[in-house]
Structure formats: C-alpha cells, structure tokens
Amino acid sequence: MTTIESHKVATDSGVGVSAQRPDAIPKVTGKFAFSSDLSSQNMLWGRTLRSPHSSARIRNIDYSEALAITGVHAILTATDVPGKNLFGLEHPDQPVLADDIVRYAGEPIAIVAAEHPEIAAKAIGAINVDFEILTPLVDSEIAITAEPIHPEGNVIRHLVIDYGDPNASGELIVEGTYEVGMQDQAFMGTESGMAVPSSDGSVDLFISTQWLHSDRNQIIEALDLPEDMVRLTLAGVGGAFGGREDVSMHVHLCMLALHTGRPVKMVYDRNESFLGHVHRHPAKIWYRHHANRDGRIVKVEGKIILDGGAYASTTSAVLANACCFSTGPYNVANAQIEGWGVRTNNPPCGAMRGFGNVQTCFAIEAQMDKVATALNVDPIELRLRNALKTGDKIITGQIITGAAPVKEVITSLAGHPMPEPAEDNLLARPGGTGRTSDQKHIKRGIGFAVSIKNLMFAEGFDDSSEALCRVNDGAVAIHTACVEVGQGFVTLVQQIAEEVLGTSDVEIIPADTSIGSAGSTSASRQTWMSGGAVLKACEAVVKNLTEQIEREEGVRYQNIDGTLVSEDGATTIPIGDALRGRSLEEKVVHHHAPTFPLNEKGQGNAHVSFAFAAHRAVVDVDQELGLVRVIEIATSQDVGRILNPLQAVGQIEGGIAQGLGLAVLEELIMKDGVIQNANFTDYLLPTALDTPPIEIASLIEEPEPGAPFGAKGIGEPPTISSTPAIVAAIRDATGLDLRRVPVRPEDIALE
Amino acid sequence: MSDITEPHLMVNGTKFTIDDSWLGESLLYTLREQLGLYGSKNACEQGECGSCSIMFDEALVCSCLVLTGNAVGREIQTIESLAPDGSLSDIQQAFVDVGAIQCGFCTPGLLVTIKNFLESNAEPTDLEIREAISGNLCRCTGYGRIVEAVRVASKASEGTEETLNDND
C-alpha cells in the first residue's frame, strides 16, 4: 500500500518515479502543435452543413448559389461519397453525409471547401435544403416498441443476464428508479485536422483522435481506397475522454482534399463540437435489491435502458458494461438483469470515461444506501459485508482471478480523516461570491460510494497493440500507434524503455498508421496494452543483444537488474552501455488474455481485468437556494502498481472532477432531440472553484497478474464512484431522495 | 500608403504590420492565423474558457472577445512572451515540476492568467488561487496540480522578493 508522498517530478528514472512529461516544455511555452494549429501552403478551409432538425426527410439540396461564391472550391453531398456512405465504430450504420433522411439534429448533410473560413461559413448559409420535417422519436422507453427510425431497427442491443436462482428472495426488498442525464466529454481542444492530397490519389490525414487504425479502416471504406492510400498521423490532441473514438470530420476532410487537390483544414467551433461527437448515454434504471437481515445482498433485479441516439456507435459495448457490472463491486449470488440500448432521434451516444459503469454505479450505490437504511446498518459496513474479492464470481459467472482489493479500498478510505468544519468565507460557501447563501442555512453531508470497472475491450475482441523498439548506437526509438490524449503515455514509454534498456536516450516516433494498430486510447487500456507492447519490444531487444554478445564472446550472459553478467562472473556490462555501437530492432504485438462472448443468459468470461475505487464526498448545501458546494472528495483506488505517481494523481483528480460535473453541473439539455445548451456558457463545466481539493487516502498496490509491472489502468475509476458519493452526500445533508443526476438546484430547493 | 496609416499590432514587443482586412476579425484569430502565434488557444470563442487569455495593456482579457481593430496601438503579451529567451518563467517551471499539464490545451491561457495574478497577489491562499483561475477551464486535471503549481510559483516569487529585500 502506497500513498503519494511527493508531488514533484523526480530526478530518478525508470518505472515508479514521477518522470517529467516529454511534451511538458512545448506545452508550457505554447509551442506544442495541436491539430488546430496545423497549416499548409495553399490550404483551404472546410466546413460542414448540419441538420437543424432531429428527424426530417431531405427533399432537395440546392447549392448552386453557394458554389458561385468567389473563393468556394467545392461543395460535396452524399452523392459524392466515393465508397460506402456508411461508417461506425463497431458497426457501419451512420451515413458520412445524410442522403434522404436526417436522424439527429447536427447530422452532416454537405461539406464545403473555401479559401477562408468566413467564405466557407457564407457558403454553408447559402445552401438551401428542402426538408420535410418529421416527428422525432425522443423517448428511449417508447423507442423499444416504436416504429423503426433506421433500417436496422430501434433496439441496438437487448441483453439479459440470468444468474443464479431467479426465484431467490431476501428478507427485505428495496426498490428504486433512477435517471442519468446526457453528459458531454467537453475536451478543450475541439475536433480539428488537416488532409493533404498526393498526386497519386492518396491522402494524408493529420487528426486528433483516439484510435488511428479504426479511423483509417472506416475512411477507406467510405473513400473506396486501399489501405496504403490513406495514411493517418496523430496531430496534437486537446483531451478526448471517449469523445474522439468515433469518426467525425475524417472522411469529410479527405473527400474535400481529394476533390480539390489542395490541403484542407477543418476546426469545429464549440457549438459544432457538441454536435460533432457522441455523448454519454442517458439512462433510465430500475432496481430491486433483495437483502437478508445479516446484511447480505441476496438478489438484484434490474432493468436498464440506455438512449443510444440516432446511430449505434459503441452502444452495444456500453450496454454490456452497464449490465455486467449492474450489481457493483459486490458478491451477489443471484441476478436478473435486462438491458436495452435503443435508437432514438436524440444525438448519438457512445464512449465516455466510465463507459456504462457510470450510469449503473449511480443507481446501485443509491440502492446500497437504501438497503443500509432499511437494515439499520452503517452503509460502509454493508459494503464491506458484500465486497467482492479474488476468487469471487461476478454475475456473468466469471471468476475474478486478479487483484480485487475492494475491502482494502473501502477500509482505507473510511479511516481517512475528515475535513475541517465549514470555513466562514464567502468564497467557500455554496454558490460562491455571486450567490446569496446564508451560513446558517448551510448543512453538511457525507456520502460514500464504491465502483468496479473492467479494463480493456471485452466480449472476445482482441484489442492488441504493436510496438517497435529500434536501437542505433545506443540511441533508442520507440514507435507505436498509441494515441497520447494528455494522459501521459509518452512519459510511460520513456520510463519503460529506460527501465529495460538502461538509457535515457529515448525518442518517441510520432503515432501513425505506418505501424500496426495500438487499439484505442480508452477503456483504461493503453498502459496495459501499448505499455505492455513497448515492454515486450524492449525486452526482445535485450534478448537479441544478449545473444549477439554471447555469439561474439562464446560465453553465456544473464540479465541481472539491467546488467548483463557473464556466467563465469568475469564480465559485467550495463545494458545501456552494451547498446552503444550496435543496431538492433524488434517489433512485437501484445495481446491480452482472450475473452469470450456472453451467451444467451449473459454468462461468459467476457472481461480481462477489473479495477476498484471508493470515493467519499463532503458537501455543504444551502437547501433553500438549492446550492451545493463540494468541500472535499477523498478516494482510495486499486491501481495494481503506480508507474508514475504524479501522473496517477493527475488521472485521479481529473477523473473525479468529471464525476463531480455529472453529479451537480453537467447536462446536455434536449428539446425534441435538439441540444439547447451547446456552448460553454450554458453547459457548465466544473471550474477550479467548483472542484474541491482531492484527498488520496490510499492507492492500493496489489500487482495485477498479466499486466506490465502489475499496473492496472487508472483513468476511469475516479469518474465512476465520485458521482454517487457526491449525490449521497447531498442526500445526507438534505434528506431528499435525489434519483437523478445531475442534481439541479430545483431538485433540492423545490422538493 | 505611408507607414503612419498602415495598421500595426504590438505583440510581445514586436511590431507587426497587418492588412486592414484583418481589423474586423477577433484578435485571437489574427494572432493565430495572421501572425502565426498559435500559443493562444480557441476552445469556446465566447469568453468562457480562458484558453485564449492574453495581456492587453495592463488587463487580462480573452483575445477571442477583442476586435483586432481595437488592439491597434495597444501592448499585447501572449504566452509566447513568458519564456522569451527559452528559459522558463517560475510558473512555467512549476507547471512542469508538479505535473500540472495533461493535454495542455488550457495551459497557455492559465499561465498568462496566473502570471498576472501572482503579480498582484504574491502570497495567495488556496481559495484565492482557485478564484483567480476560475475563468480558465481545464477538463483534464481537476485543477489540483494547477493549484499546487501556483503555490510553488508563489513561493518562488516570494523567495525572489526576499532576496531583493535582503539586498536592500
């Protein structure tokens, strides 16, 4: 068990220290090139015409007037898509450009390339689309049986988990319905990129994304080009959080560049960014928990509806997560769970940090508190009595073989000191200086929640990663297609290479599609997958090096802590020194342990590994005004092993802030399928005043078998149980039920 | 056209002549697309996120809200002015040292804001720090390391002052 003792970059090297990010200096001097900072000689600017309607038939598109504007070089519509006019992350069901029907407000209809962004905008305004407006289907529950809005039907996935005895019942039953609003990833750097055509008809795309190869595979289908004619290079990414996992402008940029023969750049403004990527699935959840007087959860019944919006994106996998972990980090012997991922005319929903676990965790943890109240048991004690441990089964029948220190995260957090009583400082009050909360109306509340998250992709998907390690006279170069979105993978690459190869002379070759796929930067998987690939590639270089030296010297060598020692003990050579004067190159593909599909009863070994976290929130609430101030969040997390303490803290603090956003601030407000607040004035992100100090009670280091250095992914758990902990704290302060997130002022003041 | 009538911008101590067709654009757009100063970022274009923060004479402003025409004759300082000779300022160094950087998109605007803040409040409390940076949105860090960086940099500033006082 380790706590973070030092919050400063270390001077030591290798794995386990807070090494400095290789991109730190460019990022603090403003020199780091984000995708929006790209430019090229002779470049045109692209722009997208999007549907203002959530459901409509396109009768006609007339762009003759727009095309006549001086400086407009191309206007393209569905008929100009060279290949299949369909894309999709898991399954192609979404048009590159809408042809006859638009199914969500914001769906792309036409694209323009012009000399200047203002000219492009003017051209967009001059395109006349004749719509026949249809009644949108916006209720996810009604969608299950409603007239299909897409040829593939409205139910994207229906999943049943039938585990244990369906007739089991407990001495006590607690029931509840819950709702989760639509959250947005709201990464700071909006979608942007540049496509550069070549004379041979091929194209280079420089783009901010999460998964270069998935993008490439979707683009080539739409462009009808072979794989080697579309080359992707990662451009600087300004955050992602799931929102860049789907294709956005990628095909559009390539089409415009190939059509005009000139480089084309696109940058979405904030409004368009909200329309141009998927969101977190809104959820409706019903639970019935059966418990015995001894405090054991006997059975959980649940129904979960996720609103996937107009197109599938990752709805199927998000639903699987929501259902597989619908009983939380608890050992539950019987479960009857039914889930639907449905299609509506709301904006498409897909990946966001926490991926399905966020929605159900909010509801489960509320249920656990209700069970505790009904049993008159301390809520922390109830969680401890039911906590999963290694060797237990989750409700898919899968046995947890790796580390599962659920009890440890709970007890270490429960024992952490509480914050000081409220400070009488206007800045510290709910609502801050701009509001009028009165100290005597402020009540303090405390809430506790625990979560489970699967790491890596699931249900039989082999999301492998490839890495190349090249040594040239002692200088190391590492190449992967792993996308750096800000999480610090580039730091880990240097640390891993340094740890294995004993040199700090490590260059990172930019991520692109000239090497094999690294899979997505999502699912808390890149440390394990691409970190694992880099580790194996470096180890392969050491093996190769050792064999070379053995051949040269006719004596066997052993690698002892980074030093090659001859079997007679006469010669010792540090690996870093041995690499000088040599050229070596190894490329490896790293796979995680195989997973399997869920059967018709929702049973199967569908997941690779699990990570756990607990959060404790302390809030001050002015119930009269409905204002909440989160005073402190404390956390303990199961991390396997910490590879870079500062980066671990950064992931935890950042993830918790997003959980706080869902708890009390962030929601895309919909009206007839149209987003009403697609800007930063009305979509409220947590500021530094909304976000409290984060206390890390404990990071539990129980190495995970199969993971590089035993390290589990740490990006997602902070976002999952922080939300229910905050809402539990508001319930504690107010006595209200609060079945929906985000909790709005009116949910508190008007109840 | 004589030099006197030709519009120019004074940015980071350098005089840039600009075509008058840019006077109607936002200063952020002109800095980035005309002057090639890409350090100031565009994340909302409505003054909510602070990613484009610059110094406009003595005032901290969002450059997305300033008309280029209004910037003529003013002293503009951008992120590019913080380490003019390549050596990092205290706050830049603190960001690097305490891990205040993730994706880095908000970083330039925050640094301009914090530099200005520390000039007026050398020994801020944590709440004052949080208030000072509450106009700069960051989606990655949860602000913890950023607040820590300001603490570290403010101590550094304090140290410098003490040295000056000692010399007095």
Side-chain angles (χ1 to χ4, degrees), chain A residues 283-592:
Chain A
K284 294 178 187 174
I285 300 166
W286 167 84
Y287 272 127
R288 184 187 282 150
H289 278 61
H290 299 248
N292 277 349
R293 301 260 170 230
D294 64 1
R296 287 304 308 262
I297 306 294
V298 177
K299 184 169 82 167
V300 176
E301 297 169 83
K303 292 188 192 301
I304 299 155
I305 303 174
L306 299 182
D307 186 346
Y311 296 103
S313 180
T314 49
T315 293
S316 175
V318 174
L319 182 74
N321 269 16
C323 292
C324 289
F325 306 104
S326 61
T327 52
Y330 308 113
N331 186 357
V332 176
N334 309 289
Q336 298 289 314
I337 307 295
E338 192 171 8
W340 294 264
V342 301
R343 203 187 290 276
T344 65
N345 291 118
N346 288 317
C349 290
M352 183 174 172
R353 198 175 196 169
F355 203 80
N357 296 54
V358 163
Q359 290 90 334
T360 41
C361 185
F362 165 64
I364 301 154
E365 290 302 285
Q367 285 286 103
M368 290 300 282
D369 283 346
K370 282 188 184 179
V371 170
T373 305
L375 289 173
N376 197 25
V377 177
D378 179 77
I380 294 170
E381 177 56 32
L382 179 76
R383 287 169 168 88
L384 281 172
R385 280 187 208 172
N386 293 281
L388 278 169
K389 61 181 187 304
T390 304
D392 286 347
K393 281 183 186 170
I394 62 170
I395 60 169
T396 56
Q398 180 168 357
I399 296 168
I400 299 179
T401 54
V406 183
K407 281 192 171 138
E408 289 82 349
V409 295
I410 296 173
T411 50
S412 61
L413 178 58
H416 193 73
M418 293 295 291
E420 295 297 311
E423 191 185 341
D424 190 13
N425 178 333
L426 202 54
L427 270 180
R429 280 189 203 163
T433 50
R435 306 294 180 114
T436 51
S437 63
D438 186 336
Q439 193 68 41
K440 64 177 181 286
H441 292 145
I442 295 171
K443 285 187 185 146
R444 182 156 284 198
I446 299 160
F448 201 93
V450 194
S451 58
I452 178 170
K453 177 68 183 58
N454 55 321
L455 310 176
M456 271 76 74
F457 286 2
E459 296 187 83
F461 193 87
D462 179 20
D463 47 320
S464 61
S465 179
E466 183 165 286
L468 169 93
C469 176
R470 181 185 295 140
V471 177
N472 186 12
D473 191 15
V476 177
I478 305 282
H479 192 194
T480 73
C482 174
V483 169
E484 169 66 44
V485 296
Q487 81 278 32
F489 179 74
V490 288
T491 327
L492 294 186
V493 170
Q494 292 201 330
Q495 290 181 260
I496 292 168
E498 197 165 349
E499 179 81 19
V500 180
L501 301 175
T503 173
S504 59
D505 187 358
V506 181
E507 178 205 351
I508 298 166
I509 298 170
D512 60 25
T513 49
S514 70
I515 188 165
S517 178
S520 176
T521 295
S522 65
S524 301
R525 60 177 291 285
Q526 285 298 17
T527 297
W528 187 312
M529 295 312 303
S530 294
V534 169
L535 174 61
K536 280 187 174 171
C538 293
E539 286 174 343
V541 161
V542 172
K543 184 165 178 281
N544 190 341
L545 168 75
T546 311
E547 287 165 1
Q548 275 190 19
I549 295 174
E550 285 174 346
R551 275 198 303 275
E552 288 161 11
E553 301 187 7
V555 59
R556 291 192 65 79
Y557 274 83
Q558 238 192 324
N559 177 4
I560 299 172
D561 294 334
T563 299
L564 298 181
V565 181
S566 62
E567 65 182 348
D568 55 9
T571 318
T572 61
I573 327 163
I575 289 170
D577 294 347
L579 291 171
R580 289 201 199 106
R582 291 178 193 273
S583 290
L584 297 154
E585 183 171 313
E586 295 290 338
K587 197 195 270 187
V588 300
V589 179
H590 180 49
H591 302 267
H592 57 64

Side-chain angles (χ1 to χ4, degrees), chain A residues 8-9 20 27-28 34 36-37 117 184-185 188 241 270 486 650 653-654 658 666 679 681 686-688 691, chain B residues 29 32 39 41 43 46 48 92 96-98 101-103 111 127 130-131 137 139-145:
Chain A
K8 199 154 164 40
V9 166
Q20 182 181 313
K27 282 181 174 176
V28 295
F34 290 92
S36 51
D37 302 334
D184 193 82
Q185 299 83 355
M188 296 309 290
F241 319 115
R270 181 54 58 183
E653 291 179 334
Q658 292 183 5
E666 295 180 40
N679 60 70
T681 305
T687 68
T691 312
Chain B
Y29 190 68
R32 289 175 53 82
K41 300 300 173 198
Q46 56 183 179
E48 291 288 346
Q92 287 172 311
V96 174
D97 286 347
V98 307
I101 309 146
Q102 287 188 36
C103 90
L111 289 167
L127 263 179
R130 286 181 180 273
E131 212 231 350
L137 295 174
R139 191 55 158 166
C140 297
T141 66
Y143 306 102
R145 299 307 92 212

Side-chain angles (χ1 to χ4, degrees), chain A residues 7-9 20-21 24-25 27-30 32 34 36-37 39 45 116-118 183-189 237-239 241 265 270 352 423 425 427-428 485-486 629 646 649-651 653-654 657-658 666 679-681 685-689 691-693, chain B residues 22 25 29 32-33 38-46 48-49 51 79-80 82-83 86 88 91-93 95-99 101-108 111 127-131 133-145 147-148 152:
Chain A
H7 284 318
K8 199 154 164 40
V9 166
Q20 182 181 313
R21 296 182 67 100
I25 306 287
K27 282 181 174 176
V28 295
T29 51
F32 183 83
F34 290 92
S36 51
D37 302 334
S39 70
W45 290 81
H116 188 279
E118 296 297 330
Q183 189 181 19
D184 193 82
Q185 299 83 355
F187 36 74
M188 296 309 290
V237 184
F241 319 115
K265 175 177 174 174
R270 181 54 58 183
M352 183 174 172
E423 191 185 341
N425 178 333
L427 270 180
V485 296
R629 178 158 193 124
L646 263 187
V649 171
Q651 283 299 306
E653 291 179 334
Q658 292 183 5
E666 295 180 40
N679 60 70
F680 278 170
T681 305
L685 290 181
T687 68
L689 276 173
T691 312
Chain B
W22 288 83
E25 302 288 353
Y29 190 68
R32 289 175 53 82
E33 303 299 342
Y38 286 106
S40 305
K41 300 300 173 198
N42 181 356
C44 79
E45 223 164 1
Q46 56 183 179
E48 291 288 346
C49 74
S51 305
I79 179 66
E80 284 87 356
L82 260 66
L88 299 184
I91 186 61
Q92 287 172 311
Q93 189 62 51
F95 263 57
V96 174
D97 286 347
V98 307
I101 309 146
Q102 287 188 36
C103 90
F105 203 85
C106 69
T107 306
L111 289 167
L127 263 179
E128 286 169 346
I129 294 170
R130 286 181 180 273
E131 212 231 350
I133 63 170
S134 66
N136 292 75
L137 295 174
C138 168
R139 191 55 158 166
C140 297
T141 66
Y143 306 102
R145 299 307 92 212
V147 172
E148 174 69 9
V152 168

